[in-house]
Amino acid sequence: MTSGEFGTADDRGSGPAQSGSSGPATPGDGTRAVRAGLPEPLKYEPTLPGPVFAAHFHLPGEPTGPYTYGRDENPTWTLLERAIGELEAPGQESVETLSFPSGMAAISAVLFSQLRAGDIVVLPEDGYQVLPLVREQLTAFGVEVRTAPTAGDAQLEVLEGAKLLWIETPSNPGLDVCDLRRLVAAAHAQGTLVAVDNTLATPLGQRPLELGADFSVASGTKMLTGHGDILLGYVTGRDAALMAPVRRWRKVVGAIPGPMEAWLAHRSLATLQLRADRQTATARTVAEVLRDRPEVTGLRYPGLPDDPSYKIASQQMRRFGCVVSFTLPSRERAERFLDALRLVDDATSFGGVRSTAERRGRWGGDAVPEGFIRLSVGAEDPEDLVADILRALETSAA
Ligand SMILES: Cc1ncc(COP(=O)(O)O)c(C=O)c1O
């Protein structure tokens, strides 16, 4: 059996949106993750073929694919792209996925291949901190960039006449959530395309294409691969005509993943459900512990029932992710807290099996208080992590 035989839109899993869905005949997220993208079993061949290192392929006669030159296609990408497509859009054979060497390469490929001078694009005001640089570049190319905050579907107010709506939900690092179905309906009603940055949720946490988006775009550097050792990105789309310019952009710019990274990513997908379930459950535990601390303000976790994001998140997300954000009273207190942690590395990025945390204000790009901490919960034992965090909170008070 190949993994392509798996998957319907209402498949099982462990997140909130699956309750009451189909019976045991439909494989769950763990089953789909371990089999995603695997080729037909061939005697004496490995289950997941190793990385193919090739700048060119034997190509006598007419130069037709699938494999001609290493910048255009590679068999290791093919398997990874198939796997991601199966997770992003189960049962939808027609989706196409393109892999990229980083999340930013994937984001830029969509924006710069779809937009022309004179077009209007709506970007999040509170999204990933490189987006302001992207905004500058788009503006320099003659694209009109409008921004809106993620919370409260504020994008609706600036949507008129836009060619593309770019959504990041949950937003990084503020963890606001917007209503994807509602925004897609409004955008499509006026012919606006919708792309969703699915980095924080992962395809096991949220399926933007099923919610109506035209593109699901992500950094695979985070939870998708989960070990903090590779950079990767991807774009999944359902419409071949919209994906063709993205593919052409990849070729023109030469923004291609290395076969080793692509293979490592594919191997890592097998544990995605295990990691996502563990990290999501512990993130909620950590958030509940932080909620009771007097020095913590502005706590955000979309999976907490009293979080402002919870209502919409539980309608469109299947897992709430591993990122918790909160604010300590001052920059100094936050720095002492980070310094006192023993099981949480003071590092940027998120989604890895080793917990990380950082004071986001140190980068200067996010509109956050000086004591704002973004904590990415890893796969450590929850009781060890909670003890470490509580101890660091106590130590940093002095
Ligand atoms: C939400 C989000 N999108 C995109 C990116 C960019 O991904 P990469 O670092 O793989 O280029 C990041 C990186 O932190 C991110 O947090």
Side-chain angles (χ1 to χ4, degrees):
M1 176 166 60
T2 65
S3 49
E5 293 167 51
F6 284 161
T8 61
D10 62 344
D11 63 339
R12 292 175 296 135
S14 57
Q18 297 100 26
S19 53
S21 62
S22 62
T26 310
D29 285 350
T31 311
R32 293 188 311 106
V34 296
R35 298 212 64 89
L38 298 184
E40 288 289 345
L42 274 181
K43 199 171 182 183
Y44 307 131
E45 290 295 322
T47 312
L48 175 63
V52 176
F53 298 104
H56 57 264
F57 300 86
H58 288 296
L59 190 67
E62 287 302 308
T64 49
Y67 302 110
T68 57
Y69 185 59
R71 193 187 343 95
D72 293 335
E73 272 302 347
N74 174 293
T76 311
W77 306 347
T78 305
L79 296 181
L80 171 67
E81 290 167 353
R82 193 186 298 165
I84 292 172
E86 287 170 15
L87 297 177
E88 279 282 349
Q92 292 182 42
E93 301 282 312
S94 59
V95 299
E96 187 178 347
T97 298
L98 292 168
S99 50
F100 287 85
S102 68
M104 280 316 302
I107 289 172
S108 296
V110 172
L111 290 170
F112 291 97
S113 70
Q114 304 296 319
L115 297 167
R116 301 278 175 279
D119 285 342
I120 299 167
V121 62
V122 176
L123 296 182
E125 192 174 285
D126 47 0
Y128 176 50
Q129 61 167 355
V130 176
L131 288 183
L133 291 180
V134 174
R135 175 186 186 165
E136 272 176 34
Q137 194 62 61
L138 286 166
T139 307
F141 288 160
V143 175
E144 183 188 330
V145 181
R146 299 177 187 157
T147 60
T150 300
D153 304 338
Q155 300 95 325
L156 290 173
E157 282 157 40
V158 291
L159 204 55
E160 197 180 336
K163 170 89 185 294
L164 177 70
L165 167 62
W166 188 272
I167 295 173
E168 191 180 300
T169 180
S171 62
N172 167 30
L175 301 177
D176 278 319
V177 163
C178 53
D179 186 339
L180 280 176
R181 289 185 187 87
R182 182 175 177 221
L183 290 171
V184 165
H188 284 177
Q190 58 163 41
T192 304
L193 296 172
V194 179
V196 176
D197 184 325
N198 207 27
T199 302
L200 203 142
T202 83
L204 294 193
Q206 180 168 269
R207 296 180 189 154
L209 297 191
E210 279 177 15
L211 296 164
D214 301 287
F215 300 100
S216 181
V217 187
S219 166
T221 312
K222 320 291 174 189
M223 193 191 265
L224 190 85
T225 59
H227 292 72
D229 51 11
I230 54 175
L231 281 100
L232 197 94
Y234 69 86
V235 178
T236 301
R238 71 166 108 250
D239 183 339
L242 291 176
M243 288 299 283
V246 181
R247 182 182 287 277
R248 197 177 51 153
W249 176 268
R250 183 174 73 171
K251 178 185 175 100
V252 168
V253 176
I256 55 164
M260 191 68 200
E261 281 77 6
W263 182 83
L264 277 171
H266 197 163
R267 193 187 72 151
S268 304
L269 285 184
T271 56
L272 179 57
Q273 183 251 18
L274 289 175
R275 291 183 281 108
D277 279 354
R278 166 74 162 217
Q279 292 174 240
T280 301
T282 310
R284 177 166 171 156
T285 302
V286 167
E288 284 167 350
V289 167
L290 290 171
R291 188 173 50 188
D292 296 336
R293 294 293 304 195
E295 65 275 68
V296 167
T297 55
L299 175 73
R300 296 300 306 268
Y301 182 63
L304 276 185
D306 51 355
D307 188 275
S309 293
Y310 181 76
K311 184 165 175 282
I312 302 297
S314 52
Q315 287 164 14
Q316 66 192 23
M317 295 184 74
R318 308 165 70 245
R319 291 176 179 80
F320 298 111
C322 66
V323 179
V324 177
S325 61
F326 58 98
T327 300
L328 291 177
S330 66
R331 171 184 176 151
E332 293 70 28
R333 176 76 191 267
E335 284 171 347
R336 287 200 301 275
F337 168 71
L338 292 169
D339 196 43
L341 289 165
R342 294 290 166 261
L343 294 178
V344 182
D345 295 330
D346 188 347
T348 194
S349 204
F350 57 85
V353 289
R354 296 176 196 90
S355 292
T356 56
E358 70 171 336
R359 200 179 63 78
R360 277 306 278 187
R362 67 179 175 170
W363 295 97
D366 300 319
V368 293
E370 286 292 334
F372 181 98
I373 304 272
R374 186 184 68 188
L375 169 64
S376 172
V377 174
E380 299 85 0
D381 287 303
E383 52 276 20
D384 293 337
L385 203 53
V386 165
D388 194 45
I389 290 168
L390 289 177
R391 190 191 43 73
L393 283 174
E394 294 296 338
T395 311
S396 61

